[in-house]
Amino acid sequence: MIVYIGIFSCVLAYIAYTDIRFRRIGNIEVLLCLALVLAGYLIFGLKLNYIACIISFAIGLLLYRFSIIGAGDVKLLSVLILLVKNDSISGFLLLMSLLGALLAIIIIIFNCRKSGVPYGVAIAISFFVVLIYMN
């Protein structure tokens, strides 16, 4: 399980880096996360939370439609929330929101020239905390 968490954290760190640097979360990275989620399901018997995935994807699509959040953020959140247990979802979303707000404040203070908030960073860190907490 330690190796699994290590590999997952490397992928999440790369996603956070590309989101900060390019404001983009690629489909290949999201598919790699999906493969890791499915590996956790098949190898370690982790439960998948389909309901949370569907709800987060539906809400995310609406937010994307109105240009509030990026498509990569929606896909990443929908894939990662598959592994978040029902009793951890509120904590996950709260931590993600607080980290996203902190990132927005940092961007405002340092007057970054790139548009948008690299929300993939908040999603990745929040998921990592939940993944560690679950095990």
Side-chain angles (χ1 to χ4, degrees), residues 9 12 18 30 32 40 47 58 73 78 80 89-90 113 131 134:
S9 61
L12 292 174
T18 58
V30 175
L32 186 55
K47 303 291 183 207
D73 299 323
S78 298
L80 295 181
I89 287 179
S90 59
R113 301 206 184 272
L131 189 64
M134 284 185 344

Side-chain angles (χ1 to χ4, degrees), residues 34-84:
L34 179 60
L36 287 168
V37 166
L38 294 177
Y41 169 73
L42 294 172
I43 296 170
F44 301 109
L46 300 175
K47 303 291 183 207
L48 298 181
N49 195 340
Y50 300 109
I51 303 293
C53 175
I54 292 168
I55 291 171
S56 69
F57 190 72
I59 292 171
L61 275 178
L62 286 174
L63 294 173
Y64 170 71
R65 173 70 175 97
F66 295 107
S67 300
I68 297 172
I69 193 168
D73 299 323
V74 173
K75 292 180 281 188
L76 180 64
L77 177 61
S78 298
V79 165
L80 295 181
I81 208 163
L82 276 167
L83 284 184
V84 179

Side-chain angles (χ1 to χ4, degrees), residues 67-114:
S67 300
I68 297 172
I69 193 168
D73 299 323
V74 173
K75 292 180 281 188
L76 180 64
L77 177 61
S78 298
V79 165
L80 295 181
I81 208 163
L82 276 167
L83 284 184
V84 179
K85 296 177 184 174
N86 282 333
D87 58 347
S88 300
I89 287 179
S90 59
F92 171 69
L93 294 175
L94 176 65
L95 180 59
M96 184 180 71
S97 300
L98 292 173
L99 290 172
L102 179 63
L103 284 168
I105 291 169
I106 290 170
I107 286 172
I108 291 169
I109 290 173
F110 290 105
N111 196 15
C112 294
R113 301 206 184 272
K114 293 183 179 179

